[in-house]
Amino acid sequence: MRDLPEIFDSFSEARRQGFLAMKSLKEQGFGVAGIFCSYVPVELFLAAGVIYVGLCSTSEETIPEAEKTLPRNLCPLIKASYGFAVTDKCPYMYFSDMVVGETTCDGKVKMYEYLGKIKDVHVMELPRTQYKESSRALWLSEIRLLQQKIEQKFNVEISEVKLREAVRKRNRERALLKAVYELSLASPPPMTGLQQLQILYGAQYRFNHEEKVRELEETIKRIKEAYTAGRGPVSEKARRIVITGCPMGGATEKVVRVIEESGGVVVAYENCTGAKQYDRQVAETGDPCEALCDYYLAIGCSVMSPNPNRLELLGRLCAQFAADGVVEMTLQSCHTYAVETQAVRDFLKARNIPFLSLETDYSPGDTAQLKTRAAAFIEML
Ligand code: BJ8
């Protein structure tokens, strides 16, 4: 049986370990689809027996190459995504038979045009608002179009029965990942925010559903056992922080590190690396495509206008996790999140919850500055 540090290490190494697993799956004849965004209904791939994977876009390594084509003042996530594609440095991109994009932010939409010259890119047209009947009709038709595309591309049929089963499986994964982060409801939490992030981020690079479920169940059990035995890594004095903003992982772990080196502990992630993806479940009754439509369209991303669901989730997490403060991380040149910062500030001010907004990119150059700001914020909590 593995010990807890081994389990954390294995999640932290999951993305690299996953390369070999992916190569072997390709050799066995599995189709692979690369995705970028939480709005993509991955249940369609699960139902088709196609492996899906989040594409590498969390390091600065290939940004200089991307900047030969894309403007420098573009979000690092978009530049890194494109850079990994043109340099062939991301094995997941390399192995992807198709890539699914989505019309979230303008920079991504235009980048997909260039990406389409290298890969088979299918772009889903996401509405910018969630509550109009026309938005729902558009998104439902986009989900059905993606289903057709997958069926043609991989020569499979996605029956209603298979889709229902996929919904059930993915719901199981969501529930387990939610159970992982809800361990940090305890005070002090039984894991650091960095450890929690490593599990949430690493789990997406486990491609076998049954193994993933088993590993998550074991992880939850082992964390609980260590905590009950008094082996917790977090001081009782640590200030409890909820993170919001752009997706995290890879280079942006630096934000979590500076918070936790300054006397804070991240207890929950409202962003796409955490609760935004795992808080809710897809309905398991009724037409599965309609259930997917309602679930995905309700994701509270800043590309939606208005975007009340982000604030609803953030407010709920702050209350549940007894947050001492909220730290927002926005990526440079991400206009939708940057504009929404004021709305988040006002929302939290009305609830007397201290708030710090940090803007960053994928380079380590601003770490000292981030540390100074995080330390000053935690000091005043
Ligand atoms: S659902 S957060 S994964 S869009 S950071 S590329 S928005 S300029 S990543 Fe996201 Fe889907 Fe929303 Fe989640 Fe554009 Fe902003 Fe860059 Fe972004």
Side-chain angles (χ1 to χ4, degrees):
M1 198 187 274
R2 296 180 306 168
D3 62 15
L4 203 45
E6 256 182 282
I7 292 177
F8 284 129
D9 283 350
S10 128
F11 277 109
S12 134
E13 285 294 300
R15 195 174 65 84
R16 270 198 300 147
Q17 292 166 355
F19 294 157
L20 287 177
M22 176 69 77
K23 182 167 178 284
S24 142
L25 287 163
K26 278 296 275 191
E27 283 163 2
Q28 291 168 49
F30 281 93
V32 176
I35 61 170
F36 288 110
C37 176
S38 306
Y39 281 106
V40 177
V42 295
E43 287 82 353
L44 291 172
F45 298 111
L46 261 179
V50 170
I51 311 295
Y52 64 90
V53 61
L55 293 170
C56 309
S57 45
T58 54
S59 105
E60 63 170 348
E61 191 186 340
T62 62
I63 287 182
E65 196 56 39
E67 285 176 347
K68 290 181 183 167
T69 306
L70 301 173
R72 293 194 65 193
N73 62 345
L74 189 64
C75 154
L77 195 154
I78 303 173
K79 288 189 287 187
S81 305
Y82 182 69
F84 275 107
V86 280
T87 56
D88 252 351
K89 281 193 175 161
C90 169
Y92 295 127
M93 177 70 88
Y94 174 81
F95 286 128
S96 292
D97 301 297
M98 70 181 280
V99 171
V100 182
E102 54 338 284
T103 56
T104 43
C105 60
D106 293 345
K108 264 203 216 165
V109 175
K110 298 306 288 180
M111 182 271 282
Y112 293 141
E113 292 177 20
Y114 295 129
L115 193 58
K117 295 180 181 168
I118 310 168
K119 302 295 288 188
D120 179 3
V121 178
H122 175 91
V123 178
M124 300 184 76
E125 198 178 333
L126 181 74
R128 283 283 173 97
T129 191
Q130 292 156 318
Y131 298 107
K132 287 185 183 162
E133 207 28 63
S134 56
S135 299
R136 188 176 185 278
L138 171 62
W139 192 233
L140 183 57
S141 74
E142 287 295 310
I143 288 176
R144 295 202 199 281
L145 268 179
L146 178 61
Q147 174 173 352
Q148 282 169 22
K149 166 80 188 183
I150 296 169
E151 288 178 329
Q152 282 160 10
K153 176 88 188 171
F154 298 101
N155 196 21
V156 287
E157 192 208 339
I158 302 176
S159 67
E160 204 173 307
V161 174
K162 283 188 197 159
L163 194 48
R164 255 182 230 295
E165 177 60 10
V167 166
R168 201 192 53 71
K169 280 184 173 173
R170 182 67 182 148
N171 274 347
R172 177 84 184 115
E173 289 179 13
R174 284 195 186 95
L176 281 168
L177 287 158
K178 185 171 180 173
V180 167
Y181 70 73
E182 285 194 337
L183 292 171
S184 289
L185 287 168
S187 183
M191 63 191 140
T192 66
L194 200 56
Q195 288 169 333
Q196 186 191 132
L197 181 67
Q198 282 162 350
I199 298 173
L200 297 175
Y201 181 73
Q204 57 180 320
Y205 297 99
R206 298 287 198 248
F207 305 117
N208 180 304
H209 169 77
E210 279 75 30
E211 279 173 20
K212 189 195 289 197
V213 163
R214 263 199 305 280
E215 189 172 17
L216 287 172
E217 284 172 344
E218 184 198 355
T219 302
I220 292 168
K221 183 166 162 260
R222 302 306 298 276
I223 294 174
K224 280 185 182 165
E225 282 169 3
Y227 193 64
T228 312
R231 295 194 305 274
V234 182
S235 151
E236 281 187 5
K237 292 189 192 133
R239 294 312 200 177
R240 300 170 66 86
I241 303 296
V242 169
I243 294 265
T244 185
C246 297
M248 269 183 167
T252 48
E253 279 183 5
K254 66 185 171 183
V255 173
V256 181
R257 283 184 206 281
V258 297
I259 291 170
E260 301 203 321
E261 285 164 8
S262 306
V265 58
V266 176
V267 287
Y269 295 86
E270 180 278 330
N271 58 21
C272 273
T273 324
K276 215 191 282 289
Q277 280 213 67
Y278 308 123
D279 174 59
R280 296 173 299 119
Q281 296 265 296
V282 177
E284 295 183 12
T285 52
D287 178 295
C289 278
E290 296 209 13
L292 291 175
C293 174
D294 291 334
Y295 172 86
Y296 283 97
L297 193 57
I299 290 174
C301 172
S302 63
V303 295
M304 290 293 170
S305 178
N307 181 25
N309 294 351
R310 176 183 179 196
L311 298 180
E312 186 279 322
L313 177 57
L314 181 59
R316 192 152 44 82
L317 291 176
C318 285
Q320 269 184 326
F321 285 80
D324 294 307
V326 170
V327 174
E328 177 186 64
M329 184 206 76
T330 59
L331 291 172
Q332 266 168 21
S333 306
C334 174
H335 301 315
T336 56
Y337 273 102
V339 171
E340 234 175 61
T341 296
Q342 188 58 39
V344 175
R345 183 178 287 118
D346 292 345
F347 175 83
L348 294 170
K349 194 170 174 202
R351 285 154 185 81
N352 283 323
I353 301 172
F355 173 63
L356 173 70
S357 182
L358 298 172
E359 189 190 64
T360 189
D361 62 10
Y362 288 172
S363 77
D366 62 353
T367 309
Q369 194 202 354
L370 292 172
K371 175 97 190 264
T372 308
R373 294 196 58 206
F377 178 68
I378 287 162
E379 171 86 35
M380 66 134 210
L381 293 177

